[in-house]
């Protein structure tokens, strides 16, 4: 990372210390965050957009200071700040993007993300219309590469739209700005499902800048990994996704892509500005972002909530899993499921599409997602467990009802799993998710064994054990986390208890159903022996009635299970994931603490050297201290970022949980209601028969 | 020590048997006391009959006394042609007691509220068993009192009137074994005399019918028992679900809290309804089947006695033929043959009457119980429906 960033810097011609740069960028980012909401809310959009030209010109002027800022960290914030005001949303994005990059440890990407900023700053107002057009092709080209890579599938389309629309909107309709402001808010919060909206808004908002458009289009291609991911749109995510998919070393590739892109862009506009900007930002705006988010809480939160609700309304993605089908024979057989997606989201190539997936593909998806996202504090929905027994039955058994039940159970839980994944605004943006939904053939997932049933649970338990151990050590600075973790843990226990009880309810109801059937048969026999005709008839009616009631009990047992038990099982699994995210936060804290300890040691060593008067080694010690100081700040910010993500995620999780439970509770009660209504009908039909006994 | 309330009893009275109570002899058990395994019933009699010294009196009786009364009736030769009302089953508090014990063991795993509810539930169950016990004893006496012949029985009258403890001996081991042996002999004998050709179509039919019916109804009884038990289990599960939901909602502080509260509340209400459904089924259906299983056994006993008499009669015919052939002891054989014939004819006559009335009684009881059960089921289901609808409504609105 350092190497890369320094490389960039060299290009720019500024021998800047990457660490310093980081620091600068962080400041700016935080400023952006804290101030932006105010601007957005307080100032009418017209203020933001009112004078695009003047703003832009300001930006231009500011852009230069930005370059210099690398040397004078304290100045930077202000400079950046101004451009933010002027541009409205973009600066934020930049900050966020940068942060993402940091998180991913992909300086290259950050550079690219920043590019748009450069454009903004560098491009004179006059160019706007012209540039938008001219740059478009260039960008498209640049993006073509990502396209070749499996991840960036749908990216190109949305971009085009953006570009086509943006010029008109921007210039012709000022009033639109208001509408746009909302999406911008989304940027701050989590409304990633609105990506498209955001993108549009962004495009609209940045009248003169093509850059924003680029930013967004890129973003749409990829998903964001980091916690700030929500707020930052996806430019980074592409990068991160790629890097993850290909391994850390793939950075260079990306670099190339972006480099080229930059070159093309630079043809249009002042090259240097961009580069400098890029280089200045390689550090950790992201962390600062999160920190800012955390601190500004009240306002930010309400904002988020607003956004989330909005986004829910706009959310247009239906996934269903149908037609489980046995493929192959014997022990190599497996079940394939039809995964159908229906969406109006522009990031997909078409509105409806269907793929066939097998169970291990789902596990593979989870593995990819959790590898990428859980370390940042995201709650990645866990898939259903592997079931050796169930699957063996399916493989061996022919038309065993229990294997049919198993398949249906799995189908339903896979469906819920996938729905949870796409409901997550950040995960939805992940290219792996899209690939999973869209791509015809998926490379066979391997090593899903680790996830199988008990193993998976064990893993979670281990993680939680570790957490509880660590909590003892960690003097929790934030009461919120402490309380939440306790809540989560006790809820987990309660849900397990409830699960056990509902499980026994299911089995008792099944027992009741079986016993009712047996009784019905017995009564039928009794009726056939009865010599009083009317009584005999009534008894055989009673037998029929009990047969129907048996059906009711059976259906109700099914509802107990599918509506109630499975919900609990899902949430027990999800709570495991929640605890996992707390665990990640703890780990991040641990790393920060370790770095601090190391730094302390280095300082002590330096003091010793100083005392021992060994100037030759002193310089090295100083360098090390500087390095570790940087790491401490970096880790601290990372910790804060992860903390903020966890907090946000938990809030999101709770909301979703409340919604899920409400929905399922009502569904369950309705099922009970229905069976009681049937019961009334049945008995009312029987009553005259009983009365007819004479 | 639970005592039976008057209203409950009147509600329960003649659940299984339709008794046209003769006003001249009214018997009930207004009170009972349970001490460990022993249940002391207070048998209350109101009468206008002059056989009794007083018009109204109460005596303390134990289950063993009832058994004694039943056995003496069965052993009375005169009543061979009657269906002797089945003896009430021994009070069985084992199952609720055992459950109570188990509950005590599991106390630690439950919330206090849950435990209290479970305990209440068990106490209710215990009380229900107790009431049922009292009821079957009462029904036994009422059937005797409403029977034209049996109500005049001297032992029965002593049972009702003697104000001291009857101090009937419990059967000792030898007698128990003797009873068992007698049963063996009886079943062997049944096989032996089954070869005897039936002379009366009515009895032939009755025999096939009762044999068939008795196995069927026995089967139905066990199946119904299992079904109601399973239903009870479901109702008990509702308690646990409600309790845990309740404690989850106590810790919840989001919007979900309200929903969980309502949900838990719903389960709590539903468990009461389901519990009622289960106990009503038990009372109206299982208890009916149980009673008629025993009653049919009594009817079968009657058939056996008649068949025995028939066999004796045929044997005496043979003996008479032999005696005539040898011209030896002819008078004695004739006498014997005449006696046997008389006994058989008397048995057949009263047996026919008894079996016919038994049939009528059974049909009436089945009708009554099935109608009542259907009505209760509808009532409970409607209750559930309105509870559920209300709950869904509130949930949707909040």
């Amino acid at each position: 990372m350092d190497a890369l960033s320094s490389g960039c810097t060299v290009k720019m011609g500024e021998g800047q210390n990457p660490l310093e740069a980081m620091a600068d960028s962080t400041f700016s980012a935080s400023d952006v965050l804290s101030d932006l909401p105010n601007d957005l809310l307080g100032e009418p959009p017209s203020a933001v957009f009112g004078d695009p030209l003047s703003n832009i010109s300001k930006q231009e002027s500011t852009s230069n200071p930005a370059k210099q800022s690398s040397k004078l960290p304290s100045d930077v914030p202000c400079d950046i700040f101004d451009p933010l005001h002027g541009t409205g949303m973009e600066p934020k994005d930049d900050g966020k993007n940068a942060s993402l990059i940091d998180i991913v440890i992909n300086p290259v990407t950050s550079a690219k993300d920043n590019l748009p900023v450069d454009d903004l700053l560098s491009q004179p107002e006059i160019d706007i219309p012209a540039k938008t057009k001219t740059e478009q092709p260039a960008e498209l080209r640049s993006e073509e590469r990502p396209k070749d890579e499996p991840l960036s599938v749908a990216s190109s389309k949305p971009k085009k739209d953006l570009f086509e629309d943006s010029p008109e909107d921007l210039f012709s309709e000022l009033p639109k700005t208001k509408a746009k402001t909302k999406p911008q808010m989304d940027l701050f919060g989590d409304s990633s499902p609105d990506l498209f909206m955001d993108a549009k808004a962004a495009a609209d908002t940045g009248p003169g800048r093509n850059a924003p458009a680029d930013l967004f289009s890129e973003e749409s291609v990829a998903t964001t990994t980091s916690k700030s991911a929500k707020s930052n749109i996806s430019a980074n995510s592409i990068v991160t996704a790629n890097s993850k998919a290909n391994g850390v070393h793939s950075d260079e590739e990306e670099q190339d892509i972006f480099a080229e892109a930059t070159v093309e862009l630079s043809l249009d506009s002042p090259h240097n500005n961009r580069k400098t900007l890029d280089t200045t930002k390689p550090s950790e705006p992201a962390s600062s972002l999160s920190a800012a988010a955390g601190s500004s809480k009240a306002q930010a939160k309400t904002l988020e909530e607003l956004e989330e609700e909005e986004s829910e309304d706009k959310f247009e993605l239906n996934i269903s899993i149908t037609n489980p089908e046995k493929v192959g024979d014997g022990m190599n057989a497996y079940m394939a499921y039809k995964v159908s997606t229906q969406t109006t989201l522009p990031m997909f190539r078409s509105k409806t599409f269907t793929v066939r997936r097998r169970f291990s593909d789902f596990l593979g998806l989870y593995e990819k997602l959790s590898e990428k996202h859980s370390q940042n504090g995201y709650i990645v929905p866990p898939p259903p467990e592997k079931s050796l027994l169930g699957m063996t039955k399916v493989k061996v058994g022919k038309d065993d009802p229990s294997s049919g039940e198993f398949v249906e159970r799995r189908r339903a839980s896979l469906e819920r799993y996938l729905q949870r994944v796409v409901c997550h605004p950040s995960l939805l943006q992940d290219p792996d998710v899209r690939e999973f939904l869209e791509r015809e053939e998926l490379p066979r997932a391997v090593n899903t064994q680790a996830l199988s049933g008990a193993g998976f649970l064990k893993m979670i338990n281990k993680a939680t054990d570790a957490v509880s151990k660590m909590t003892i050590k960690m003097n929790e600075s934030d009461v919120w986390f402490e309380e939440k973790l306790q809540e989560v843990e006790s809820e987990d226990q309660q849900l397990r208890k409830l699960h056990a009880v509902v499980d026994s309810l299911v089995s008792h109801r099944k027992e009741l159903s079986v016993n009712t059937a047996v009784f019905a048969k017995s009564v039928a026999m009794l009726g056939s022996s009865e010599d009083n005709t009317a009584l005999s008839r009534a008894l055989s009616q009673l037998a029929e009635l009990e047969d129907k009631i048996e059906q009711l009990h059976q259906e109700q047992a099914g509802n107990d299970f599918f509506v109630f038990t499975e919900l609990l099982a899902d949430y027990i699994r999800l709570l495991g994931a929640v605890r996992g995210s707390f665990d990640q936060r703890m780990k991040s804290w641990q790393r920060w603490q370790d770095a601090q300890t190391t730094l302390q040691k280095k300082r002590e060593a330096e003091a010793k050297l100083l005392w021992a008067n060994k100037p030759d080694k002193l310089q090295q010690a100083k360098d090390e201290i500087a390095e570790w100081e940087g790491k401490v700040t970096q880790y601290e910010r990372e910790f804060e970022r992860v903390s903020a993500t966890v907090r946000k995620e938990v809030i999101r999780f709770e909301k979703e949980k409340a919604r899920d439970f409400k929905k399922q509770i009502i569904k369950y009660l309705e099922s009970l209601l229905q069976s009681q209504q049937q019961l009334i009908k049945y008995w009312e039909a029987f009553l005259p028969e009983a009365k007819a006994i004479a | 020590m639970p005592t039976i309330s008057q209203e409950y009893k009147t509600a329960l009275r003649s659940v299984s048997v339709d008794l046209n109570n003769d006003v001249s002899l009214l018997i009930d058990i207004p009170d009972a006391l349970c001490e460990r395994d022993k249940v002391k019933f207070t048998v209350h009699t109101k009468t206008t009959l002059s056989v009794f010294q007083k018009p109204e009196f109460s005596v303390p009786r134990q289950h063993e006394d009832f058994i004694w009364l039943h056995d003496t009736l069965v052993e009375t030769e005169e009543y061979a042609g009657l269906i002797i009302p089945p003896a009430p089953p021994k009070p069985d508090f084992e199952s609720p007691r055992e459950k109570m014990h188990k509950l005590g063991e599991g106390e630690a795993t439950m919330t206090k509220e849950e435990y209290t509810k479970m305990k209440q539930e068990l106490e209710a169950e215990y009380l229900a068993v107790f009431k049922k016990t009292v009821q079957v004893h009462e029904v036994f006496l009422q059937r005797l009192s409403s029977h034209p012949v049996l109500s005049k029985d001297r032992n029965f009258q002593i049972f009702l009137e003697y104000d001291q403890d009857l101090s009937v001996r419990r059967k000792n081991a030898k007698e128990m074994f003797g009873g068992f042996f007698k049963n063996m002999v009886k079943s062997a004998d049944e096989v032996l005399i089954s070869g005897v050709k039936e002379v009366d179509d009515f009895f032939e039919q009755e025999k096939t019918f009762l044999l068939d019916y008795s196995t069927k109804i026995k089967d139905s009884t066990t199946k119904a028992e299992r079904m109601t038990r399973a239903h009870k289990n479901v109702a008990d599960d509702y308690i646990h679900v409600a309790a845990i939901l309740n404690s989850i909602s106590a810790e919840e502080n989001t919007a979900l809290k309200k929903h969980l509260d309502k949900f838990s509340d719903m389960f709590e209400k539903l468990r009461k309804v389901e519990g009622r459904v289960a106990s009503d089924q038990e009372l109206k259906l299982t208890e009916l089947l149980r009673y008629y299983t025993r009653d049919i056994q009594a009817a079968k006993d009657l058939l056996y006695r008649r068949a025995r008499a028939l066999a004796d009669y045929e044997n005496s015919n043979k003996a008479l033929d032999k005696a005539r052939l040898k011209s030896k002891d002819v008078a004695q054989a004739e006498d014997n043959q005449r006696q046997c014939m008389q006994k058989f004819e008397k048995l057949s006559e009263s047996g026919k009457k008894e079996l016919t009335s038994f049939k009528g009684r059974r049909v009436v009881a089945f009708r009554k119980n099935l109608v009542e059960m259907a009505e209760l089921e509808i009532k409970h289901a409607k209750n559930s429906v309105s509870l559920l609808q209300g709950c869904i409504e509130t949930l949707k609105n909040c």
Side-chain angles (χ1 to χ4, degrees), chain A residues 494-548:
Chain A
Q494 297 280 13
L495 281 189
R496 276 169 204 273
K497 254 201 228 165
L498 186 58
H499 185 263
V501 172
V502 180
D503 225 29
S504 90
L505 172 64
V506 172
S507 60
H508 279 146
R509 184 111 58 191
K510 276 186 184 157
E511 220 171 82
L512 173 59
S513 157
V514 170
N515 286 333
T516 308
V518 171
F519 174 70
K521 271 201 198 86
S522 180
V523 166
M525 297 293 284
L526 185 66
S528 70
S529 300
E530 176 61 59
D531 60 356
N532 180 296
T533 334
L535 181 53
S536 165
R537 191 183 139 79
L539 286 176
S540 59
Q541 291 289 329
L542 180 64
E544 268 174 43
L545 167 75
E546 295 289 354
D547 261 337
K548 285 183 201 154

Side-chain angles (χ1 to χ4, degrees), chain A residues 321-489:
Chain A
I321 295 180
T322 49
N323 296 12
E325 224 174 60
K326 195 164 148 187
V327 179
D329 279 316
M331 287 319 281
N332 288 324
Y334 63 90
M335 297 299 298
Y337 304 85
K338 199 166 125 190
V339 179
S340 318
T341 313
Q342 227 191 345
T343 181
T344 56
L345 289 179
M347 60 188 226
F348 294 100
R349 269 180 290 189
S350 47
K351 291 213 185 307
T352 54
F353 40 90
T354 305
V355 289
R356 289 201 78 80
R357 295 285 179 255
R358 54 184 292 183
F359 183 63
S360 54
D361 295 334
F362 288 86
L363 293 186
L365 175 66
Y366 168 73
E367 236 173 32
K368 283 184 202 159
L369 292 179
S370 105
E371 198 186 319
K372 271 185 263 179
H373 300 282
S374 61
Q375 69 193 31
N376 294 309
Y378 280 105
I379 299 171
V380 180
E385 286 113 22
K386 264 195 175 177
S387 164
L388 221 59
L389 185 72
M391 207 43 216
T392 313
K393 259 190 197 164
V394 171
K395 281 171 181 166
V396 177
K398 302 233 163 80
D399 287 319
D400 187 8
S402 78
S403 82
E405 194 176 290
F406 167 78
V407 169
E408 167 55 19
R409 180 187 172 188
R410 172 161 282 180
R411 184 206 62 75
S413 65
L414 286 175
E415 190 174 87
R416 289 193 307 273
Y417 160 67
L418 216 50
Q419 278 163 354
R420 286 205 172 91
V421 169
V422 300
C423 267
H424 195 295
S426 310
L427 295 183
L428 175 62
Q429 302 308 317
D430 192 292
D432 279 328
V433 173
R434 243 174 315 150
E435 188 182 47
F436 183 87
L437 295 176
E438 267 186 335
R439 198 170 154 190
E440 210 47 61
E441 288 291 323
L442 213 56
R444 179 94 168 77
V446 283
N447 285 336
T448 52
Q449 231 63 24
L451 285 175
S452 66
F456 180 71
L457 279 182
K458 232 184 263 165
M459 207 172 74
I460 284 179
N461 285 341
K462 251 190 224 160
T464 49
D465 280 355
V467 170
S468 55
K469 268 178 217 151
M470 272 203 259
T471 354
I472 300 166
K473 277 192 278 170
M474 179 170 180
N475 45 349
E476 183 60 84
S477 53
D478 197 333
V479 192
W480 187 88
F481 284 101
E482 206 177 341
E483 286 175 359
K484 263 294 172 254
L485 185 59
Q486 266 173 16
E487 263 177 52
V488 166
E489 268 164 11

Side-chain angles (χ1 to χ4, degrees), chain A residues 4-17:
Chain A
L4 286 176
S5 60
S6 66
C8 292
T9 8
V10 173
K11 258 196 221 161
M12 307 309 143
E14 296 177 17
Q16 185 203 343
N17 187 336

